[in-house]
Amino acid sequence: MTDADYHAAMRRIRRGHWLHYSVQALLMGGAGLAALGHIAGPGSANPRLATWPALLLLLALLPLLSLALYAVAQYMRPNLRRPYAENMRLYQSRLLLRNSLLGLLGLPLLAAYLLTRQPLDLLACAALLGLLAWRTAPDARKYQRWLIS
């Protein structure tokens, strides 16, 4: 693998990382907008009856999905005897799983926005996803550290 190929692959992985966070935020926001009509707001006559099934479903699925993603990510380990392209694909797959798992951290803030309709909750969710995307952005040093781990 030449330096140019390596840097091109890292740029592709970095673009995929930013695209993943953007798409995941849009999907979560779209799901929130779709559920907005089914969730009782603060002015509803009996908000607890209207929202408890959705909250229970969210509380039940979130840990299960997180555990499944974490378990799959633990089996994705590098091997220096593999071809470089296979290790790059494995690294990119692991990043996708990790980003999906970290993106789930924004769901409670999105749920809080859906229940209270406070724009600050939505802003906090967007800020959290942006901070996570910025903080976990892949680079050559992180890839090499993962490769020798």
Side-chain angles (χ1 to χ4, degrees):
M1 173 181 234
T2 65
D3 276 346
D5 293 338
Y6 175 73
H7 289 296
M10 288 308 297
R11 279 193 303 274
R12 182 180 43 82
I13 289 173
R14 206 173 299 119
R15 279 192 309 267
H17 167 80
W18 288 104
L19 180 66
H20 180 262
Y21 268 102
S22 302
V23 168
Q24 187 171 6
L26 288 173
L27 284 175
M28 286 189 332
L33 287 175
L36 194 59
H38 302 290
I39 295 177
S44 297
N46 199 349
R48 271 189 259 138
L49 290 178
T51 57
W52 74 268
L55 289 177
L56 284 178
L57 182 65
L58 179 66
L59 288 175
L61 290 180
L62 189 61
L64 291 176
L65 183 61
S66 300
L67 285 174
L69 288 174
Y70 183 75
V72 169
Q74 289 304 312
Y75 288 107
M76 301 178 118
R77 299 188 192 278
N79 187 346
L80 294 176
R81 288 177 271 165
R82 284 190 193 122
Y84 73 89
E86 191 174 330
N87 273 330
M88 281 286 202
R89 279 193 303 272
L90 193 61
Y91 181 67
Q92 190 171 9
S93 299
R94 187 177 167 112
L95 281 178
L96 182 75
L97 283 174
R98 185 198 65 195
N99 292 346
S100 297
L101 184 61
L102 287 175
L104 293 176
L105 291 173
L107 280 179
L109 291 170
L110 186 61
Y113 169 73
L114 293 175
L115 291 174
T116 63
R117 311 285 202 284
Q118 295 291 326
L120 190 59
D121 293 330
L122 192 60
L123 185 63
C125 179
L128 175 68
L129 290 177
L131 179 68
L132 286 172
W134 173 72
R135 187 72 179 122
T136 61
D139 60 2
R141 177 178 281 166
K142 290 178 184 177
Y143 171 72
Q144 290 167 353
R145 196 174 320 138
W146 172 79
L147 195 57
I148 61 171
S149 65

